[in-house]
Amino acid sequence: MYDISSFIPRATLTDLVPRSTKGQFSVVAKENNQSELLIFDIGVLSQDYLAYPLDIARRYQGTIGGFQWSLNGDFGLYVDTSGDLRRFEEGKEQEIILRSGEVTSISRVVDSNQFIATLDNRRLALLHSSEPGHGYRVIFGGGRPANPDHFIGDETSSSSWGVTAFRHWYDTTMPWYESRIIFVNDQGEVIGMLDRPNTLYSQPRFSPDGKRLAFISSATSRLSIYLMDSPSATPRRITWSDHDYGDVDLGFGQASFSWSQDSRYIYASRNENGFARLMEISIDEEKEPREIAKGFLDSPIHLENTLISIRSGAKTPTQVVAIETTKGASPDELKKIPLFFAHSRDIQKSKLTEPELHILQVKETDQLVINARITRSSTANTIGTIVALHGGPIGQHHVRFDFRHAFYNSIGFDVVTLDPRGTSGYGIDFIKALNDGFGDFDVDDVTMGITKLIETNKISLPIALMGGSAGGLVALRVATVANLPIKGVIALYPVVDLTALSKTTHRFERNFLNIIVGDPIKDKEIYLKRSPINETKELKVPVLLLQGDQDSVVDADTTTEYAKRLRMHNKNTSLCIFAGEGHGFNQETTIKNETKEIVNFLFEQCGFSNPMDHDLNVN
């Protein structure tokens, strides 16, 4: 019997935040839409065993999100699922600070009664908990326009500068990879701005002493870290590499770098062809960055010569880890202590393998190079290959722990991830190479990438394609137009109708389609041509469609209509609608059912051999 239970994460880890009480930090663990706050004591890290939570807040119904500690660490603030701001204090009943239903994130605790927060990702507000009814004053973004055209987020504040810095962009004119940073004082006056055409400015982070601001910019195509000493100072670049530092953040609050406690160093993840290294960068000394650890380390915080981070890698299931940052020590010598595991500890290292990187020149005419990473089956006999295509469409399959991929490796499949044009992690120019070509250029890249892997005997036949969202569109189109040994397509909440997507998807992607496809009205024929829903007659292989009924990006009715049209042409089509799921599946029951459907589809509908004659039921 196939068993995915031990691979499924038992918790999602977010909001890793230091507490000013000496040697403590907290992390939020979310499980089945409930959250608990775990508070750790750094003092136990000198011991050689798994650290334990010093204290655990009682389990709350709903989500603890955007958690921040007060200046002295005696209370915390978080945003609940209703968009209200709540106050948490150990041993006391929680209190609603602002019942507005609009709070997106909490940025700074000014004092015990005043807080700076973002409302609905559009307005920056100063909250006053001491006022009757817990009032607030908007300091940026105005009131509540019917159709606001700007968005703000990732705010950070400095009492030394007397400003709040935040990321800002206009959805009508700026794509995801083009934004600015604005500085406002507590009176709401704009006193500075980082703004340059065709450039991304993101993730502003003030140093602990409040004297300097670090941020990520794409001014040189590669994402690099820059420093400023004042709102009017000229930024200076402090990272020089052929790889991106950080990533194009498709959401708010991403933390891919942070400051050391003494404000002398920055710790940042460097994306190296999908792999990652955590680097220590000296601010005042001119020397090469020092490698601290391999793998993606998110939301790093620095406490007493110890780095705390949420770590993940191909063979490192997601965990909160503490790393001693002893000066001069090599990465292998630095002590790493796991504190909290997002996954069951039953996962055996023998089941996990490190991906092989293959650099493919797929098109000599324009010297296009794309990367493929192959994670080999951990069984004696390889059944075939699953080619997994990322969504986004400017996302990337980072080499993090992917429990789905690890499971398919464990039952006999190789898993390949390809990075066609538009993939993040290779500089802004590589992302922009997809402009006007989504559903066309990336389809060519994937087709030629798979062809190269077959020609060089790097890939085990036969092949199934798997893609979610935008990756689902690419997978379906490759299976339609390419002449490859593909047995079937697994499409999760796939984009099948670009015209429908332009009307129903979220506010960022709606206008982004104008850049990567074209104007929905002027370029109507392009939208029709690249939509799988208009190619149902030509599709050559069986299809499994997996869809959530609460998806606000890809409407479930559109996927259902696609399945109906496939069946009209007598195509082998399976459709599963999961109740309560949106654009991505999170419930454990859904994940198990999803896996059961995929395993059955591969062996029963696609004809993959089942050499061990496993029971097709999935635990």
Side-chain angles (χ1 to χ4, degrees):
M1 179 179 291
Y2 296 108
D3 184 5
I4 194 175
S5 299
S6 63
F7 290 93
I8 299 174
R10 59 188 176 91
T12 301
L13 306 178
T14 61
D15 296 295
L16 191 60
V17 181
R19 191 180 189 184
S20 59
T21 304
K22 187 177 181 180
Q24 290 186 6
F25 66 94
S26 62
V27 64
V28 173
K30 179 182 177 183
E31 182 179 3
N32 292 327
N33 293 322
Q34 292 184 331
S35 299
E36 59 184 359
L37 182 71
L38 306 179
I39 306 171
F40 290 88
D41 191 336
I42 203 74
V44 303
L45 299 183
S46 60
Q47 304 174 26
D48 241 346
Y49 52 83
L50 184 69
Y52 56 90
L54 171 71
D55 196 6
I56 301 179
R58 63 187 175 89
R59 187 179 289 269
Y60 293 109
Q61 297 294 326
T63 300
I64 298 175
F67 190 89
Q68 289 284 348
W69 286 105
S70 64
L71 297 177
N72 58 10
D74 58 347
F75 68 89
L77 300 176
Y78 69 92
V79 183
D80 66 18
T81 50
S82 300
D84 295 335
L85 186 65
R86 292 176 178 261
R87 175 185 175 121
F88 159 78
E89 189 169 355
E90 294 168 80
K92 294 184 179 180
E93 287 295 317
Q94 57 179 322
E95 174 191 1
I96 296 180
I97 299 295
L98 181 63
R99 192 189 295 276
S100 71
E102 302 175 290
V103 184
T104 308
S105 62
I106 175 72
S107 125
R108 176 163 64 106
V109 180
V110 179
D111 55 39
S112 60
N113 294 314
Q114 296 188 93
F115 323 104
I116 293 178
T118 301
L119 307 181
D120 195 29
N121 285 139
R122 304 176 191 274
R123 294 167 291 155
L124 199 65
L126 181 65
L127 314 183
H128 305 276
S129 67
S130 60
E131 293 185 358
H134 301 313
Y136 65 90
R137 175 169 57 86
V138 173
I139 59 176
F140 183 86
R144 301 179 181 179
N147 296 296
D149 62 354
H150 68 266
F151 303 94
I152 64 176
D154 215 6
E155 65 277 10
T156 181
S157 297
S158 165
S159 56
S160 297
W161 283 25
V163 305
T164 296
F166 54 88
R167 187 184 183 194
H168 174 270
W169 65 100
Y170 291 103
D171 72 324
T172 54
T173 58
M174 285 186 173
W176 277 333
Y177 49 76
E178 186 176 341
S179 58
R180 60 172 64 92
I181 292 176
I182 292 179
F183 306 106
V184 298
N185 58 25
D186 289 350
Q187 288 69 50
E189 300 168 329
V190 176
I191 61 172
M193 187 181 303
L194 297 172
D195 186 17
R196 173 176 162 178
N198 302 311
T199 303
L200 174 142
Y201 294 95
S202 71
Q203 300 187 51
R205 304 278 184 265
F206 276 109
S207 57
D209 61 14
K211 296 179 180 179
R212 287 168 165 168
L213 179 79
F215 60 90
I216 289 176
S217 175
S218 66
T220 57
S221 180
R222 287 292 185 181
L223 296 183
S224 304
I225 298 177
Y226 290 75
L227 281 183
M228 294 179 68
D229 296 320
S230 73
S232 59
T234 300
R236 65 182 177 94
R237 184 181 177 188
I238 62 169
T239 60
W240 304 80
S241 173
D242 291 333
H243 301 287
D244 285 356
Y245 274 87
D247 206 348
V248 177
D249 47 335
L250 305 185
F252 297 98
Q254 174 176 317
S256 61
F257 77 92
S258 68
W259 288 86
S260 64
Q261 204 170 20
D262 59 9
S263 301
R264 295 177 57 199
Y265 298 91
I266 283 178
Y267 295 96
S269 289
R270 187 168 69 194
N271 187 337
E272 301 181 1
N273 299 326
F275 296 82
R277 302 285 184 271
L278 185 72
M279 311 301 291
E280 180 185 74
I281 304 153
S282 175
I283 300 304
D284 297 314
E285 300 176 77
E286 293 187 4
K287 59 182 180 180
E288 288 295 312
R290 180 172 72 118
E291 182 179 318
I292 297 295
K294 294 179 174 62
F296 276 91
L297 287 95
D298 297 325
S299 306
I301 58 176
H302 191 253
L303 292 170
E304 300 181 3
N305 297 319
T306 302
L307 195 69
I308 313 294
S309 182
I310 299 172
R311 185 185 183 199
S312 179
K315 299 179 69 173
T316 305
T318 307
Q319 58 192 246
V320 178
V321 66
I323 305 175
E324 293 180 345
T325 57
T326 307
K327 300 306 175 187
S330 69
D332 292 336
E333 295 172 330
L334 295 174
K335 188 176 182 181
K336 302 175 182 66
I337 304 175
L339 306 181
F340 185 84
F341 292 89
H343 297 77
S344 167
R345 300 194 68 184
D346 293 337
I347 297 177
Q348 299 175 12
K349 290 291 185 181
S350 60
K351 295 181 180 179
L352 308 176
T353 56
E354 194 75 20
E356 305 166 3
L357 176 64
H358 298 276
I359 299 175
L360 308 172
Q361 185 170 346
V362 299
K363 210 172 185 181
E364 295 181 5
T365 54
D366 59 8
Q367 297 184 327
L368 178 69
V369 173
I370 67 173
N371 287 337
R373 288 172 300 275
I374 305 176
T375 307
R376 299 293 180 185
S377 162
S378 55
T379 64
N381 298 309
T382 301
I383 298 170
T385 299
I386 295 173
V387 177
L389 306 176
H390 66 71
I394 61 170
Q396 183 182 21
H397 277 304
H398 298 107
V399 183
R400 301 174 186 265
F401 183 71
D402 190 309
F403 69 91
R404 289 178 171 89
H405 292 183
F407 170 73
Y408 293 116
N409 287 153
S410 75
I411 66 173
F413 286 94
D414 292 344
V415 177
V416 174
T417 59
L418 285 166
D419 294 333
R421 276 171 283 188
T423 302
S424 63
Y426 302 99
I428 297 299
D429 291 343
F430 192 74
I431 292 176
K432 291 181 178 179
L434 185 64
N435 287 0
D436 299 323
F438 172 51
D440 188 1
F441 298 167
D442 41 7
V443 170
D444 287 345
D445 295 349
V446 170
T447 300
M448 289 186 283
I450 294 174
T451 301
K452 287 282 187 180
L453 290 171
I454 293 173
E455 290 175 350
T456 54
N457 296 316
K458 295 293 193 302
I459 197 168
S460 302
L461 300 179
I463 298 168
L465 301 182
M466 180 186 294
S469 191
L473 180 145
V474 175
L476 290 166
R477 293 220 67 225
V478 169
T480 300
V481 304
N483 185 23
L484 294 170
I486 297 170
K487 289 281 190 176
V489 176
I490 301 153
L492 300 91
Y493 33 90
V495 174
V496 295
D497 187 337
L498 287 169
T499 303
L501 182 71
S502 69
K503 299 175 182 177
T504 63
T505 191
H506 53 74
R507 56 199 183 197
F508 299 106
E509 199 165 65
R510 186 176 299 117
N511 293 298
F512 191 48
L513 286 174
N514 289 46
I515 296 170
I516 61 174
V517 181
D519 183 273
I521 298 175
K522 179 182 176 183
D523 300 311
K524 178 181 177 181
E525 292 302 316
I526 295 177
Y527 275 71
L528 294 173
K529 180 182 177 182
R530 298 182 191 171
S531 296
I533 200 168
N534 300 316
E535 299 178 314
T536 51
K537 186 177 180 180
E538 291 78 18
L539 187 65
K540 305 170 184 176
V541 298
V543 174
L544 171 62
L545 301 169
L546 304 167
Q547 176 71 47
D549 68 348
Q550 301 299 310
D551 196 329
S552 59
V553 178
V554 174
D555 189 79
D557 290 342
T558 303
T559 305
T560 302
E561 174 62 23
Y562 177 57
K564 178 181 176 182
R565 294 192 190 185
L566 286 170
R567 288 167 179 157
M568 286 175 58
H569 293 295
N570 298 314
K571 304 297 181 180
N572 185 337
T573 307
S574 302
L575 171 64
C576 300
I577 304 291
F578 296 117
E581 294 287 3
H583 202 61
F585 305 149
N586 299 305
Q587 300 175 44
E588 183 174 348
T589 301
T590 301
I591 293 170
K592 289 183 177 180
N593 287 331
E594 164 208 326
T595 307
K596 177 181 179 181
E597 295 295 340
I598 291 174
V599 169
N600 287 337
F601 175 73
L602 290 170
F603 291 139
E604 294 185 346
Q605 305 300 320
C606 298
F608 282 87
S609 63
N610 190 353
M612 300 179 68
D613 195 29
H614 282 298
D615 183 344
L616 292 182
N617 291 321
V618 178
N619 261 345

PDB file of all heavy atoms in Angstrom, residues 20 61 125 202 247 276 317 321 348 366 374 439 468 514 525 556 593:
ATOM      1  N   SER A  20      12.067  40.656  22.601  1.00  0.00           N
ATOM      2  CA  SER A  20      13.100  41.467  23.223  1.00  0.00           C
ATOM      3  C   SER A  20      13.537  40.895  24.568  1.00  0.00           C
ATOM      4  O   SER A  20      14.632  41.161  25.036  1.00  0.00           O
ATOM      5  CB  SER A  20      12.615  42.912  23.408  1.00  0.00           C
ATOM      6  OG  SER A  20      11.459  42.946  24.217  1.00  0.00           O
ATOM      7  N   GLN A  61      -8.775  29.395  17.667  1.00  0.00           N
ATOM      8  CA  GLN A  61      -9.542  29.149  16.450  1.00  0.00           C
ATOM      9  C   GLN A  61      -9.212  30.275  15.476  1.00  0.00           C
ATOM     10  O   GLN A  61      -9.232  31.447  15.834  1.00  0.00           O
ATOM     11  CB  GLN A  61     -11.050  29.146  16.740  1.00  0.00           C
ATOM     12  CG  GLN A  61     -11.493  28.051  17.683  1.00  0.00           C
ATOM     13  CD  GLN A  61     -11.321  26.665  17.079  1.00  0.00           C
ATOM     14  OE1 GLN A  61     -11.486  26.485  15.883  1.00  0.00           O
ATOM     15  NE2 GLN A  61     -10.974  25.703  17.905  1.00  0.00           N
ATOM     16  N   ALA A 125      -1.715  52.927   8.301  1.00  0.00           N
ATOM     17  CA  ALA A 125      -2.481  53.607   9.346  1.00  0.00           C
ATOM     18  C   ALA A 125      -1.738  53.570  10.666  1.00  0.00           C
ATOM     19  O   ALA A 125      -1.002  52.619  10.971  1.00  0.00           O
ATOM     20  CB  ALA A 125      -3.847  52.961   9.504  1.00  0.00           C
ATOM     21  N   SER A 202      12.203  46.002  -3.381  1.00  0.00           N
ATOM     22  CA  SER A 202      11.338  45.263  -2.464  1.00  0.00           C
ATOM     23  C   SER A 202      12.069  44.910  -1.185  1.00  0.00           C
ATOM     24  O   SER A 202      13.275  45.116  -1.053  1.00  0.00           O
ATOM     25  CB  SER A 202      10.824  43.977  -3.133  1.00  0.00           C
ATOM     26  OG  SER A 202      11.863  43.034  -3.282  1.00  0.00           O
ATOM     27  N   ASP A 247      14.464  36.673  -3.840  1.00  0.00           N
ATOM     28  CA  ASP A 247      13.638  36.216  -4.949  1.00  0.00           C
ATOM     29  C   ASP A 247      12.613  37.289  -5.263  1.00  0.00           C
ATOM     30  O   ASP A 247      12.395  38.208  -4.477  1.00  0.00           O
ATOM     31  CB  ASP A 247      12.931  34.903  -4.578  1.00  0.00           C
ATOM     32  CG  ASP A 247      12.594  34.052  -5.787  1.00  0.00           C
ATOM     33  OD1 ASP A 247      12.705  34.572  -6.915  1.00  0.00           O
ATOM     34  OD2 ASP A 247      12.225  32.887  -5.613  1.00  0.00           O
ATOM     35  N   ALA A 276      20.042  26.801  -2.987  1.00  0.00           N
ATOM     36  CA  ALA A 276      20.248  28.020  -2.207  1.00  0.00           C
ATOM     37  C   ALA A 276      21.379  27.853  -1.217  1.00  0.00           C
ATOM     38  O   ALA A 276      21.697  26.742  -0.776  1.00  0.00           O
ATOM     39  CB  ALA A 276      18.973  28.414  -1.471  1.00  0.00           C
ATOM     40  N   PRO A 317      13.616  18.135   5.490  1.00  0.00           N
ATOM     41  CA  PRO A 317      12.209  18.505   5.689  1.00  0.00           C
ATOM     42  C   PRO A 317      12.114  19.810   6.473  1.00  0.00           C
ATOM     43  O   PRO A 317      12.948  20.098   7.337  1.00  0.00           O
ATOM     44  CB  PRO A 317      11.654  17.319   6.490  1.00  0.00           C
ATOM     45  CG  PRO A 317      12.533  16.173   6.113  1.00  0.00           C
ATOM     46  CD  PRO A 317      13.902  16.772   5.958  1.00  0.00           C
ATOM     47  N   VAL A 321      15.377  25.908  12.686  1.00  0.00           N
ATOM     48  CA  VAL A 321      16.723  25.456  13.018  1.00  0.00           C
ATOM     49  C   VAL A 321      17.521  26.603  13.630  1.00  0.00           C
ATOM     50  O   VAL A 321      17.299  27.776  13.303  1.00  0.00           O
ATOM     51  CB  VAL A 321      17.436  24.902  11.762  1.00  0.00           C
ATOM     52  CG1 VAL A 321      17.681  26.002  10.752  1.00  0.00           C
ATOM     53  CG2 VAL A 321      18.744  24.208  12.104  1.00  0.00           C
ATOM     54  N   GLN A 348      12.391   9.005   6.477  1.00  0.00           N
ATOM     55  CA  GLN A 348      13.736   8.454   6.505  1.00  0.00           C
ATOM     56  C   GLN A 348      14.610   9.137   5.460  1.00  0.00           C
ATOM     57  O   GLN A 348      14.188   9.361   4.338  1.00  0.00           O
ATOM     58  CB  GLN A 348      13.691   6.947   6.231  1.00  0.00           C
ATOM     59  CG  GLN A 348      12.891   6.163   7.259  1.00  0.00           C
ATOM     60  CD  GLN A 348      12.770   4.703   6.865  1.00  0.00           C
ATOM     61  OE1 GLN A 348      13.448   4.240   5.964  1.00  0.00           O
ATOM     62  NE2 GLN A 348      11.881   3.996   7.550  1.00  0.00           N
ATOM     63  N   ASP A 366      18.920  31.629 -30.412  1.00  0.00           N
ATOM     64  CA  ASP A 366      18.918  32.780 -29.498  1.00  0.00           C
ATOM     65  C   ASP A 366      19.706  32.489 -28.227  1.00  0.00           C
ATOM     66  O   ASP A 366      19.612  33.215 -27.249  1.00  0.00           O
ATOM     67  CB  ASP A 366      17.487  33.205 -29.150  1.00  0.00           C
ATOM     68  CG  ASP A 366      16.699  32.095 -28.488  1.00  0.00           C
ATOM     69  OD1 ASP A 366      17.294  31.052 -28.167  1.00  0.00           O
ATOM     70  OD2 ASP A 366      15.493  32.286 -28.280  1.00  0.00           O
ATOM     71  N   ILE A 374      16.763  16.906 -11.769  1.00  0.00           N
ATOM     72  CA  ILE A 374      16.188  15.567 -11.732  1.00  0.00           C
ATOM     73  C   ILE A 374      16.403  14.968 -10.350  1.00  0.00           C
ATOM     74  O   ILE A 374      17.538  14.839  -9.891  1.00  0.00           O
ATOM     75  CB  ILE A 374      16.824  14.644 -12.794  1.00  0.00           C
ATOM     76  CG1 ILE A 374      16.716  15.267 -14.191  1.00  0.00           C
ATOM     77  CG2 ILE A 374      16.163  13.270 -12.775  1.00  0.00           C
ATOM     78  CD1 ILE A 374      17.415  14.468 -15.279  1.00  0.00           C
ATOM     79  N   GLY A 439       2.257  30.725 -22.555  1.00  0.00           N
ATOM     80  CA  GLY A 439       1.464  29.721 -23.258  1.00  0.00           C
ATOM     81  C   GLY A 439       1.992  29.396 -24.635  1.00  0.00           C
ATOM     82  O   GLY A 439       1.400  28.601 -25.363  1.00  0.00           O
ATOM     83  N   GLY A 468       0.451  22.815 -12.019  1.00  0.00           N
ATOM     84  CA  GLY A 468      -0.630  23.503 -11.333  1.00  0.00           C
ATOM     85  C   GLY A 468      -0.763  24.922 -11.834  1.00  0.00           C
ATOM     86  O   GLY A 468       0.226  25.578 -12.154  1.00  0.00           O
ATOM     87  N   ASN A 514      -1.835  41.281 -19.408  1.00  0.00           N
ATOM     88  CA  ASN A 514      -1.617  42.218 -20.518  1.00  0.00           C
ATOM     89  C   ASN A 514      -0.160  42.239 -20.951  1.00  0.00           C
ATOM     90  O   ASN A 514       0.143  42.519 -22.110  1.00  0.00           O
ATOM     91  CB  ASN A 514      -2.030  43.639 -20.102  1.00  0.00           C
ATOM     92  CG  ASN A 514      -3.533  43.775 -19.962  1.00  0.00           C
ATOM     93  OD1 ASN A 514      -4.179  42.929 -19.363  1.00  0.00           O
ATOM     94  ND2 ASN A 514      -4.096  44.825 -20.514  1.00  0.00           N
ATOM     95  N   GLU A 525      -7.595  36.917 -30.353  1.00  0.00           N
ATOM     96  CA  GLU A 525      -7.253  35.673 -31.047  1.00  0.00           C
ATOM     97  C   GLU A 525      -6.090  34.949 -30.378  1.00  0.00           C
ATOM     98  O   GLU A 525      -6.046  33.721 -30.366  1.00  0.00           O
ATOM     99  CB  GLU A 525      -6.919  35.971 -32.521  1.00  0.00           C
ATOM    100  CG  GLU A 525      -8.105  36.439 -33.341  1.00  0.00           C
ATOM    101  CD  GLU A 525      -9.238  35.418 -33.330  1.00  0.00           C
ATOM    102  OE1 GLU A 525      -8.937  34.216 -33.486  1.00  0.00           O
ATOM    103  OE2 GLU A 525     -10.403  35.817 -33.165  1.00  0.00           O
ATOM    104  N   ALA A 556     -13.971  27.012 -10.787  1.00  0.00           N
ATOM    105  CA  ALA A 556     -14.244  25.583 -10.920  1.00  0.00           C
ATOM    106  C   ALA A 556     -15.163  25.293 -12.095  1.00  0.00           C
ATOM    107  O   ALA A 556     -15.056  24.231 -12.736  1.00  0.00           O
ATOM    108  CB  ALA A 556     -14.851  25.043  -9.624  1.00  0.00           C
ATOM    109  N   ASN A 593      -6.547  12.277  -0.780  1.00  0.00           N
ATOM    110  CA  ASN A 593      -7.423  11.940  -1.904  1.00  0.00           C
ATOM    111  C   ASN A 593      -6.797  12.331  -3.233  1.00  0.00           C
ATOM    112  O   ASN A 593      -6.922  11.616  -4.228  1.00  0.00           O
ATOM    113  CB  ASN A 593      -8.783  12.622  -1.737  1.00  0.00           C
ATOM    114  CG  ASN A 593      -9.625  11.989  -0.639  1.00  0.00           C
ATOM    115  OD1 ASN A 593      -9.486  10.797  -0.362  1.00  0.00           O
ATOM    116  ND2 ASN A 593     -10.479  12.770  -0.011  1.00  0.00           N
TER     117      ASN A 593
END
